Amino acid sequence: MTLKKLFGGICCAAMAMFAVSCAQGVEDETWTAGVSGVQLESPAADSFTYSIVTDATGTEQVKIQWPIVVGAGGYLCSVWNVNDPANPEVLVDNETIDGAALYFPLAEDSSYKISVQTLGNAKLNNAAAAEATEYAMNTMIEGIPVPVTEDLGAFISKYIADNADVLAAQRASDPNFEIAFDLEPGATYQMAAVAECDLQPTRIRGDRQNKPAVMLTNNAYFETAGGLKIKFINIDASGLDKEKYGVITLKQNPNLELGKESSYHLTKPIRIEGCWVKEVLRGFYSHGPSANWAVYEFRMSDCIVQVNCKNNAAHKSFLYPYGGGKGQVLNIYLSNSTIYNVYDPAAMSSSAYFIQFGYQKGFAKAFGTANGIFSIQNCTLNRMTPNKDFGNRVGYEGTSAFQNTIFYDTYNIHKVLSRGCTKVLGGNILFCPTKGVAGDDSKNGYGEVLDPGFTTENLNKVLDFSQPNGGVNFAPVAGVTAGDPRWLK
């Protein structure tokens, strides 16, 4: 099921919209005819409808609508994200809307509370409604429950293989079709088999407030050729016999319907959100050794990933879209996350990057454009990597935005950015006790050289799922406002 099917009427074409606080309609005679000198009522909750629309920037928004209250002077509106009911997040705060529709940014697998109160109209002597109407909605799609007694990888692979024809027909009829696998809150799953999601866009979903754990063993990983989202799960990679590719790896023998053998296209995103990952021994994300993938989006948000990697050639890189030299990712977004390596930096090799792209000329050839985005926002990156360049040149003429991030023992950050890209830099902290901050980093505005005060205990601590924030604390010294926001609270 997709959000668009779930919500019903959808506007797929791009449309220009005003900001949330702006009027979405204009007052006309239908608002006022025959109604004066009364106290108005707020719209009934069962009269609200919602849909998904796309604005002129390509951003998906939720559109809430209600019937016009004749004689009203507008509406007072508020919206909260209530994924954590004890700590609601305000999205719209007492905004006056002059029409009968309200917009706010779409977030998947989220719950919302909307408040709408009809305002009075002084010209007509109409009083405001005594109370606001509250309306609840969510953006969940129906999920397939996974029994905790099942091997997670085997269960996912079998379900997708057994239903391949049905799923293919649904993808053909609805290009936004996704399926979701739901893990039990707080449960611990074993995963010794590769989770083969193949061409099917898939969500693997836990619970925000009580995350389940997945124990990777044997040589298991999550494999996709059609788009993958992993949300609200703790992943333990310490039990792997060896790590052949990455925790997330693209299919090595993809169906040729995805493109030519020289460039397989993955237009659906790969996203990991709200996850903790423990003891990554090799790399986190990989195109594998030879499949030349052109991936349109990789995104990591609100995660803690603990690595235990020597950074030699066999370990590849933390993000490894290289894939035989021609693999590429057009848009990469890292936000509000911590990635740290517990391996002794003095014993680390100098053979692996944090990120290794394919050949620089491959972007335009693979995507038809070289205008990609490489964004690192509000992150804490520790020992990524102290003895090697942060990455090889990104190789496109798009935008590279590194902002409000702590780069600790992370060397030669500037090497990852091509000469032709637009650089957006600001608010970063640089500190490299192993080799010192590279001169081209400190001199060219990549950040302020400052010791954030991280302790050896935390830098060397293996993630502990039973402890708050995994048992680590990368709160910087007073006055530093960069880094993963969880350490700034």
Side-chain angles (χ1 to χ4, degrees):
M1 180 177 288
T2 68
L3 286 172
K4 291 177 174 58
K5 278 194 172 182
L6 181 66
F7 289 168
I10 299 301
C11 173
C12 295
M15 59 174 287
M17 296 191 304
F18 295 107
V20 172
S21 61
C22 293
Q24 300 298 331
V26 293
E27 186 171 323
D28 59 30
E29 293 180 359
T30 63
W31 281 68
T32 62
V35 177
S36 62
V38 300
Q39 182 170 29
L40 303 170
E41 298 288 337
S42 295
D46 60 7
S47 69
F48 283 65
T49 61
Y50 54 90
S51 59
I52 305 302
V53 297
T54 305
D55 69 15
T57 69
T59 302
E60 288 187 312
Q61 305 253 352
V62 179
K63 179 183 180 181
I64 305 291
Q65 291 179 285
W66 55 88
I68 289 173
V69 176
V70 179
Y75 305 89
L76 187 66
C77 301
S78 295
V79 180
W80 298 267
N81 181 306
V82 290
N83 290 331
D84 181 357
N87 297 286
E89 177 187 358
V90 177
L91 302 179
V92 180
D93 188 13
N94 286 326
E95 297 286 353
T96 298
I97 303 299
D98 202 22
L102 170 67
Y103 299 88
F104 55 89
L106 169 69
E108 293 177 340
D109 299 322
S110 294
S111 297
Y112 299 96
K113 183 174 73 172
I114 296 97
S115 171
V116 176
Q117 183 177 15
T118 303
L119 296 176
N121 188 325
K123 293 180 180 179
L124 299 173
N125 195 29
N126 289 336
E131 296 181 345
T133 294
E134 291 189 351
Y135 175 67
M137 60 159 288
N138 67 72
T139 57
M140 299 286 287
I141 63 171
E142 185 178 352
I144 302 153
V146 182
V148 72
T149 53
E150 297 282 346
D151 180 280
L152 178 61
F155 182 91
I156 290 172
S157 299
K158 184 176 188 304
Y159 182 93
I160 290 175
D162 288 351
N163 296 278
D165 291 342
V166 173
L167 296 174
Q170 289 178 291
R171 291 196 303 273
S173 64
D174 179 3
N176 298 296
F177 174 72
E178 296 182 68
I179 61 172
F181 293 96
D182 283 339
L183 279 57
E184 296 179 15
T188 298
Y189 287 80
Q190 301 300 318
M191 183 169 151
V194 175
E196 300 178 28
C197 300
D198 203 53
L199 298 175
Q200 177 55 50
T202 301
R203 300 184 195 181
I204 303 172
R205 190 169 60 188
D207 182 85
R208 275 187 174 87
Q209 308 307 323
N210 189 12
K211 291 188 289 188
V214 175
M215 315 299 290
L216 300 181
T217 58
N218 192 24
N219 189 27
Y221 53 88
F222 299 93
E223 182 184 80
T224 181
L228 178 65
K229 300 169 184 176
I230 302 176
K231 300 185 173 189
F232 323 127
I233 296 172
N234 294 332
I235 301 171
D236 187 340
S238 63
L240 294 176
D241 295 337
K242 58 180 180 177
E243 195 174 341
K244 187 175 182 181
Y245 302 134
V247 174
I248 297 174
T249 297
L250 300 188
K251 187 175 178 65
Q252 294 308 290
N253 297 296
N255 189 305
L256 288 178
E257 73 178 71
L258 296 170
K260 298 178 181 179
E261 188 174 351
S262 60
S263 186
Y264 300 107
H265 284 256
L266 179 51
T267 58
K268 300 294 184 182
I270 296 173
R271 296 175 181 170
I272 179 166
E273 177 186 350
C275 295
W276 297 352
V277 188
K278 172 182 176 180
E279 288 286 87
V280 176
L281 305 176
R282 178 185 174 104
F284 181 78
Y285 167 73
S286 175
H287 284 201
S290 59
N292 299 322
W293 281 96
V295 176
Y296 284 72
E297 179 187 317
F298 174 86
R299 185 183 300 265
M300 176 185 288
S301 59
D302 191 29
C303 292
I304 303 176
V305 183
Q306 176 255 309
V307 181
N308 192 353
C309 182
K310 187 176 181 179
N311 288 341
N312 62 18
H315 290 151
K316 307 300 182 186
S317 300
F318 181 80
L319 301 177
Y320 188 69
Y322 186 76
K326 296 181 181 179
Q328 305 290 359
V329 181
L330 186 62
N331 300 304
I332 298 173
Y333 305 91
L334 307 177
S335 65
N336 300 344
S337 295
T338 295
I339 306 170
Y340 73 105
N341 193 352
V342 301
Y343 205 92
D344 180 4
M348 280 189 198
S349 176
S350 59
S351 302
Y353 303 97
F354 172 75
I355 183 167
Q356 184 173 5
F357 292 95
Y359 300 139
Q360 291 182 35
K361 295 181 180 178
F363 275 93
K365 184 176 180 180
F367 300 103
T369 177
N371 290 316
I373 297 172
F374 185 14
S375 174
I376 303 178
Q377 304 285 332
N378 304 102
C379 289
T380 298
L381 305 181
N382 299 337
R383 297 173 178 164
M384 297 283 137
T385 52
N387 297 306
K388 180 70 172 178
D389 300 342
F390 186 62
N392 61 339
R393 293 198 183 278
V394 70
Y396 57 52
E397 294 86 38
T399 300
S400 294
F402 294 0
Q403 295 177 298
N404 303 316
T405 291
I406 296 176
F407 295 93
Y408 182 94
D409 233 1
T410 299
Y411 189 65
N412 266 347
I413 301 163
H414 70 279
K415 288 286 190 180
V416 78
L417 304 184
S418 69
R419 293 183 178 90
C421 74
T422 299
K423 302 175 185 67
V424 181
L425 307 168
N428 300 317
I429 298 296
L430 313 177
F431 191 69
C432 300
T434 298
K435 295 186 72 170
V437 175
D440 283 340
D441 287 346
S442 60
K443 294 175 183 177
N444 293 309
Y446 282 82
E448 177 186 359
V449 178
L450 176 68
D451 184 352
F454 297 155
T455 66
T456 301
E457 178 188 7
N458 283 293
L459 288 164
N460 296 336
K461 185 176 291 185
V462 174
L463 208 61
D464 183 348
F465 295 156
S466 70
Q467 299 298 314
N469 287 328
V472 294
N473 182 3
F474 292 108
V477 295
V480 173
T481 57
D484 185 338
R486 81 188 73 227
W487 312 121
L488 303 177
K489 296 178 180 178

